[in-house]
Amino acid sequence: MFGRYTTKTIGIYPTLSTTVVSLVEYLHALFRSRTKVARTTDYLLCSNCFQDQGLRLDAMRIGIAEDSACPTCGEKNGRKLSRDLIFNLAHRFFVWGTLRREKYGAAPVIQFNDRQSTSIDTAPWFEPDLHLFEQVIGVGFFYYGPRLWMIGEVEPLKALQDATTKTPIIDRIITEYPVVAITTQQIFYRLRKDPANPTNFGEYDSPPIAIAGTNRLDSKKLSVMYGSQDLHVCVHECRVTAEDDVFLATLAPTRDLKLLDLTKLLQEPDTNEFESLDMAVLMLFLAGNHSYEISRGIALAARDAGYDGLIYPSYFSLLHTGNIPFETTYGISHRRFPSQSEREMAKIIPNLALFGRPIEQGHVEVKCINKLILNRVEYGIHFGPVGC
Ligand SMILES: [Zn+2]
């Protein structure tokens, strides 16, 4: 758990008395300023300046290939880092690299800014690198006390976890999220590992109700067919390995299907993160199997409200798009900034869940079936410190 977190450091913005409105304007300006391009003369460090191997590799990934001599170490073949890139590197390594997931949500253990001096413990081999950051961009690193919404203190989410308070929140989810249709012109995929008879269309339908109740949305009261329009997410979701015999069905609706879209970013201009339904739903679907009972309740309510299914955020969204979950600036969620909406939406990969047994019921048809072979697996990696 967050043993180091205390309530004394409530975020890194120094003047929290500043109104939220002016903070929002300030952050808009900050996002705009990040689009500036560095000039050669702006380079301050290079990847060879660092001792820690993880930091060197992260610096090589984001640095600029350019053959001038580094102003700090003098070497020419390191990837060059401008002031902005050094900030990015510090954020990637210290903030993203110490992110801890909680039951719901996640928050970094370390943050940095130009107003605090360094107060974290470090591994001995790491001290010269830390001093380099301190000297070159004038920042200090410290243990971060997150705003508590980041680790699941979100009122609608808390209400969903209590059987006596969940119903009004589920009702809000059903009414406040948008309705979308998938049409007969749209295809989607469904993967099966080791089916008894791969050419039998029934193999690609939802499991019978007798064996339902093991995944995020299905229960003893509701069979669910899971699918995706993103093939790679299908592979992730099915936990496929190279040893499995895997088959892919290409499917299409036989009529327009009415779906509740839980991947949309709800605009909530008068609400903060602590009261946000948008944040509650996102955290719910990015949480592990301890959250399934809640999401199954939402599926049942959507079925009872006449929906054919749900579109919901894939648990693997962030792994697939390579993004930091629940990204914040000065403790404020990027989902609250209209200028960041598109970028935030792009982090989420939609999954399809169709209620009942849509192939047997004739709501979905099998267009074709292929064998699927995994021939390459690639991991995106980044690094963080140890001993902090
Ligand atoms: Zn250098």
Side-chain angles (χ1 to χ4, degrees), residues 45-49 70 72-75:
L45 295 176
C46 78
S47 51
N48 291 348
C49 289
C70 169
T72 300
C73 72
E75 291 192 27

Side-chain angles (χ1 to χ4, degrees), residues 283-302:
M283 284 185 171
L284 179 68
F285 283 94
L286 297 185
N289 54 12
H290 55 273
S291 68
Y292 286 6
E293 195 185 330
I294 301 170
S295 44
R296 288 168 185 164
I298 296 170
L300 278 169

Side-chain angles (χ1 to χ4, degrees), residues 147-165:
R147 293 182 78 207
L148 294 178
W149 70 263
M150 294 180 191
I151 50 173
E153 285 291 317
V154 178
E155 293 306 322
L157 182 60
K158 286 162 68 183
L160 284 169
Q161 294 168 67
D162 182 337
T164 64
T165 54

Side-chain angles (χ1 to χ4, degrees), residues 2 34 106 113 212 243 306 311 315 317 324 362 364:
F2 284 82
R34 284 178 181 170
N113 67 21
E243 286 77 40
I311 299 179
Y315 177 73
S317 288
I324 186 167
V364 164

